[in-house]
Amino acid sequence: MESRSNLIVGQDLGSSSTKGYNLTTGEDFEYDNCITPISPTADTKHFIMDSAGIDDIIKNLDVTIVKVDGDFSLPIEGRYLCGIMARQYSAHVVKPNSLLGKSEQLTTYVNALVSIGIEMIKNKLNHSQPVVGFLLPPVEAFGEGGEIFLKNICGTYDLTFNVQNKKVTIEIVEGKAHVQPEGFASFASFLFDKDGNYRREAEPYLTVSVLGVDIGASSTDLSLIENTRPIKRTFETIRMGGNKIAGLLTAEISKNYRGYKPNADEIERAIETGILRFGTKEVSVAKELEAAKKEFAEILYEPFISYLDRQNIHPNSLSGIMFVGGGSIGDDAVRSAGYYLYEKLKQVCPYIDLISIENPRKSNLEGLIQYLRCA
C-alpha cells in the first residue's frame, strides 16, 4: 500500500451506525458501530465469516488500536471486535449510551478511528494525516465536549486489522480535525449549494429565526438559528429519539396482531417501509406506524414547549422549523414524526413554516461535507 495524506473524510457518529463520506473518492459509507473489547490473546477464528475484498474487512472487524502519541487521558488502546463480528462473538455488545455525551464514550473514538482505517485500506493507504470532520450534538460541539473530543482524538494511532493482517497509521492533527454541530450542519446544507451559493428556496430564511430539531436514534437536539447563525445558549438535548418510535410501534403491532412482538431488525424495516413480514406474506403496518409516530409527537410536545419557555422563545417569533435526522423520515403513506409535531405546534403558532429537507437522514453529513470542502 502507498503512503499519502490527501484523505478527506466526514463522519456522522450516530447511535446506531457511523455514516460518512470520503471526499477523496466521492463515496458514502456506513458501518455498524457496536463494539466488543476482547483480550489481546483471544481466539476469534471461529467467528470469521467467509467473504472477499472490502466486504471481508467489514464483516470481520477485529482491530487492535495502539496510540503512539498524543493525549493519553482516555484509555483507548486495546483490541476490539466491531459491527457484525462483535455481534457474532457476544450478545452483550457496547453501543453509544444516550445518557452520556459522545465525547465521553469510548465507542465514539473506536468507531471514528476504525472507519478512517477502513477508508485508508480501501484507498490503499498505509499512512495518512487526513482532513477529518466529526458531527457532534450542538451542546457538545460548541462547548467543553467539542474541546474534549478534539483533545482525545488528536494523536498518532497504529491500527492492525487482525483477520486481514493489515496495518495502517493514522495521524490526526490540530487544524485538520474539525467538529461541527448536528442540526446546524443540516441548515447549512439547506442554505448553500455545492458551490457555496445561497439556494433560492433558502432566501426567505436568511434574516429570520429558525428552529432546528435533530431527531436521532436516542436523543433530540434543539437549536435556534437567527440570521443564519446558531445561538449557543439555545442548544439543548432531549433524551428521547427515534428508538422511542420503535417501542411504540412494537406495542401497536402487539395490540393488533395477538401479542406478536417483532424483533429489532423487523421493526427497523417496518419503520423504513411500513411493511412487516408474517410467514411468506408482507403486510402493511402503515396504520400502526402512523399511530406510533403520532404518539411520539404527543410525548415530545411537552418537553418541546418547555424548551421554548425556558429559552424565552415565543412560538410566534419563529419563521420556520426544520426537522432532520433518522427519526424525522417519512413518506407519502406515513408522514414523519416531525410533521406530526409541527401540526401540533401550529396550534400555538399558526404561521410557522415547515422547512423541507430533501434527505433529512443525510443532511447533517452534507452540511459537514460542504464545510470540509472549504477547510
Side-chain angles (χ1 to χ4, degrees), residues 47 50 53 67 105 107 124 149 189 235 259 305 341:
F47 302 94
D50 291 333
K67 191 165 189 177
Q105 301 183 58
T107 55
K124 296 181 170 57
F149 178 82
S189 73
F235 298 159
I305 292 298
L341 182 58

Side-chain angles (χ1 to χ4, degrees), residues 62-130:
D62 177 347
V63 185
T64 299
I65 299 175
V66 176
K67 191 165 189 177
V68 179
D69 66 34
D71 186 279
F72 288 88
S73 56
L74 180 75
I76 194 172
E77 292 196 5
R79 183 181 174 194
Y80 304 93
L81 302 183
C82 307
I84 295 172
M85 199 168 189
R87 296 182 188 278
Q88 293 278 349
Y89 187 84
S90 173
H92 304 289
V93 297
V94 181
K95 291 186 67 68
N97 182 343
S98 63
L99 299 178
L100 296 172
K102 291 183 180 180
S103 61
E104 302 173 80
Q105 301 183 58
L106 179 65
T107 55
T108 302
Y109 301 93
V110 172
N111 286 309
L113 292 169
V114 170
S115 62
I116 294 171
I118 294 171
E119 293 306 300
M120 288 177 63
I121 292 173
K122 286 164 66 175
N123 287 272
K124 296 181 170 57
L125 302 176
N126 57 21
H127 193 131
S128 181
Q129 191 182 93

